[in-house]
């Protein structure tokens, strides 16, 4: 029985390949590679995410010697928010993690929640607010962590105090909540003048008593607690802004994606875009009234500025961990973060 002519013609190249030993070997190897790629999830000995990514409560400290050194980890969970007050600093992170630093020592705190905590801010009296996933809002007064009922389970990314008894909270979906603690905690939703659902990532109190919130696509909203009004403000960028720090005198620093660095001098309204020596995403920043500044971000990037008139430089560190937050306490700079990317495949295989 003869095959149809069109089939015979199509099989002629295959017949030639079969006669060539190298072509046969190459074809077998190619098919084996394709099969391994298709069935890799079934034959893998380990979850690739466990091999390539390790979550870690990373701590890098810069002391008087001007060198960033890696300190012992604070545990297995990422650290996302921090603030300092007096001689102490509060750090919060994933799975309800919280630590207090005082006199160079860390103490783990019981928060009473397993929600991921993203930001914290100390109030004028030393109490603190903590916000996070699922609409989590906690009032911290000494050893007491009081949960506050919220209108919706949104992801809350930033918090700043308005005065002794009220605060502004921001989050995804252009969430803007005003929290009033007296006589009892009440949260009131504020309507954004933009209303497009952009995430708001950070908020800080300005020198004039208003509050500035920043987020996706360079969005900046200013809230005046006296008039209870929100207004759009332009900072001169369309990049996502992740962090914001404003001093009591009004010196400000906003940081964001692709190495975005925006500065504003005290007593002015003009924001200046600085050239960054690294274009990786920046997550948090700090500045003082002399122009000395610090910014941290992905892959362990730490950018420093010595003062007014100086440029930014990249600091040498002992780690490439992703850094998400920072604080400055009594002259000591502390950067904190999360994931350490390491290829552990060879160490993980059972035959090693």
């Amino acid at each position: 029985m003869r095959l149809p002519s069109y089939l015979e013609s199509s099989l002629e190249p295959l017949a030639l390949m079969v006669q060539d030993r190298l072509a046969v070997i190459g074809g077998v190897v190619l098919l084996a590679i394709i099969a391994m790629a298709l069935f890799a999830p079934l034959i893998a000995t380990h979850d690739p995410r466990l091999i390539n990514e390790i979550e870690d409560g990373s701590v890098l400290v810069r002391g008087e010697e001007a060198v960033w050194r890696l300190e012992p980890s604070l545990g297995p969970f990422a650290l996302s928010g921090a603030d300092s007050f007096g001689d102490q600093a509060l750090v919060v992170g994933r799975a309800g993690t919280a630590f207090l630093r005082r006199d160079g020592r860390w103490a783990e705190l019981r928060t009473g929640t397993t929600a991921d905590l993203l930001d914290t801010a100390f109030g004028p009296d030393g109490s603190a607010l903590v916000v996070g996933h699922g609409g989590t809002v906690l009032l911290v007064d000494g050893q007491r962590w009081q949960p506050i009922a919220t209108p919706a389970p949104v992801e809350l990314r930033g918090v700043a105090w308005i005065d002794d008894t009220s605060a502004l909270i921001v989050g995804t979906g252009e969430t803007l909540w005003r929290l009033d603690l007296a006589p009892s905690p009440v949260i009131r939703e504020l309507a954004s003048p933009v209303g497009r659902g952009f995430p708001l990532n950070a908020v800080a109190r300005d020198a004039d008593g208003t509050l500035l919130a920043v987020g996706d696509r360079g969005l900046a909203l200013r809230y005046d607690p006296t008039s209870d009004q929100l207004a759009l403000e332009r900072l001169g960028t369309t990049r996502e802004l992740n962090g914001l720090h404003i001093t009591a005198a009004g010196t400000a620093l906003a940081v964001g994606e692709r190495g975005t660095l925006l500065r504003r001098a005290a007593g002015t309204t003009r924001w200046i875009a600085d050239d960054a020596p690294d274009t990786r995403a920046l997550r948090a920043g700090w500045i003082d009234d002399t122009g000395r500044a610090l910014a941290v971000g992905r892959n362990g990037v730490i950018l420093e500025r010595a003062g007014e008139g100086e440029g930014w430089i990249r600091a040498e560190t002992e780690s490439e961990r992703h850094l998400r937050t920072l604080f400055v306490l009594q002259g000591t700079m502390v950067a904190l973060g999360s994931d350490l990317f390491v290829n552990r495949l060879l160490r993980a295989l059972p035959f090693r």
Side-chain angles (χ1 to χ4, degrees):
M1 178 180 177
R2 291 180 59 85
L3 294 174
S5 59
Y6 63 88
L7 284 179
E8 289 184 349
S9 300
S10 63
L11 291 175
E12 285 179 2
L14 181 60
L16 294 175
M17 289 179 61
V18 171
Q19 296 173 19
D20 188 335
R21 183 180 300 175
L22 289 178
V24 172
I25 294 173
V28 171
V29 171
L30 179 60
L31 290 174
I33 293 173
I34 294 173
M36 289 178 64
L38 291 175
F39 295 101
L42 300 178
I43 64 177
T45 58
H46 292 74
D47 185 341
R49 290 170 297 181
L50 297 180
I51 293 172
N52 295 322
E53 184 178 23
I54 310 169
E55 187 174 356
D56 181 65
S58 309
V59 181
L60 279 86
V61 176
R62 183 187 190 275
E64 295 180 356
E65 69 278 12
V67 176
W68 288 91
R69 301 197 181 279
L70 187 64
E71 286 198 348
S73 167
L74 293 183
F77 298 114
L79 304 172
S80 304
D83 195 19
S84 61
F85 178 82
D87 63 348
Q88 62 183 344
L90 178 62
V91 177
V92 298
R94 240 179 40 78
T97 299
F99 294 88
L100 187 72
R101 184 180 177 96
R102 181 180 286 149
D103 298 327
R105 297 184 179 88
W106 293 101
E108 188 170 4
L109 306 176
R110 295 181 179 272
T111 63
T113 182
T114 57
D116 293 347
L117 306 176
L118 300 181
D119 194 28
T120 183
F122 277 107
D125 62 353
S127 59
L129 284 169
V130 176
V131 298
H133 282 212
T136 300
V137 177
L138 301 170
L139 175 62
V140 187
D141 190 359
Q143 298 296 319
R144 184 176 176 229
W145 290 68
Q146 176 188 348
I148 295 175
T150 58
V154 298
E155 182 179 314
L156 303 175
R157 296 183 175 180
V159 58
W161 289 81
I162 299 172
D163 53 33
D164 292 359
T165 60
S166 59
L168 185 66
I169 300 169
V170 301
T172 56
E174 231 164 291
T175 296
L176 291 146
W177 292 349
R178 174 168 174 154
L179 167 64
D180 290 290
L181 296 174
S184 60
V186 175
I187 289 179
R188 179 165 53 88
E189 298 182 66
L190 304 175
S192 168
V194 178
R196 296 184 60 186
F198 293 134
L200 293 169
N201 300 324
V203 60
R205 188 179 190 274
D206 215 335
D208 61 359
T210 63
L211 289 95
L212 183 64
V214 297
D216 196 17
R217 303 191 187 184
L219 176 62
L221 298 174
R222 186 170 294 278
Y223 174 64
D224 185 345
T226 303
S227 63
D228 200 34
Q229 296 296 314
L230 281 156
L232 180 65
E233 189 160 316
R234 301 192 183 280
L235 305 190
T237 184
T238 57
R239 294 177 182 172
E240 182 172 2
L241 298 174
N242 299 316
L244 176 66
H245 181 249
I246 305 177
T247 70
T251 305
L253 174 67
V255 302
E257 298 299 306
R258 298 180 63 186
T260 300
L261 294 162
L262 299 175
R263 283 186 303 108
R264 189 196 66 187
T268 67
T269 59
R270 180 169 172 258
W271 291 81
I272 300 171
D274 285 341
D275 293 328
D278 196 294
T279 58
R280 277 172 279 198
L282 300 173
R283 299 300 187 199
W286 171 89
I287 194 169
D288 67 14
D289 293 321
T290 69
R292 186 185 184 194
L294 175 69
V296 301
R298 288 186 61 84
N299 299 109
V301 62
I302 298 180
L303 305 182
E304 296 179 342
R305 185 173 185 263
E308 199 61 46
E310 301 291 336
W312 290 86
I313 62 171
R314 178 166 181 180
E316 295 294 329
T317 69
E318 297 180 346
S319 169
E320 291 192 357
R321 290 163 168 83
H322 296 326
L323 301 173
R324 297 191 179 196
T325 188
L326 61 90
F327 65 85
V328 178
L329 182 64
Q330 298 175 331
T332 299
M333 297 179 174
V334 181
L336 306 113
S338 56
D339 306 325
L340 167 63
F341 284 86
V342 176
N343 187 349
R344 297 192 301 156
L345 181 58
L346 294 180
R347 286 187 291 158
L349 290 177
F351 54 77
R352 291 288 294 181

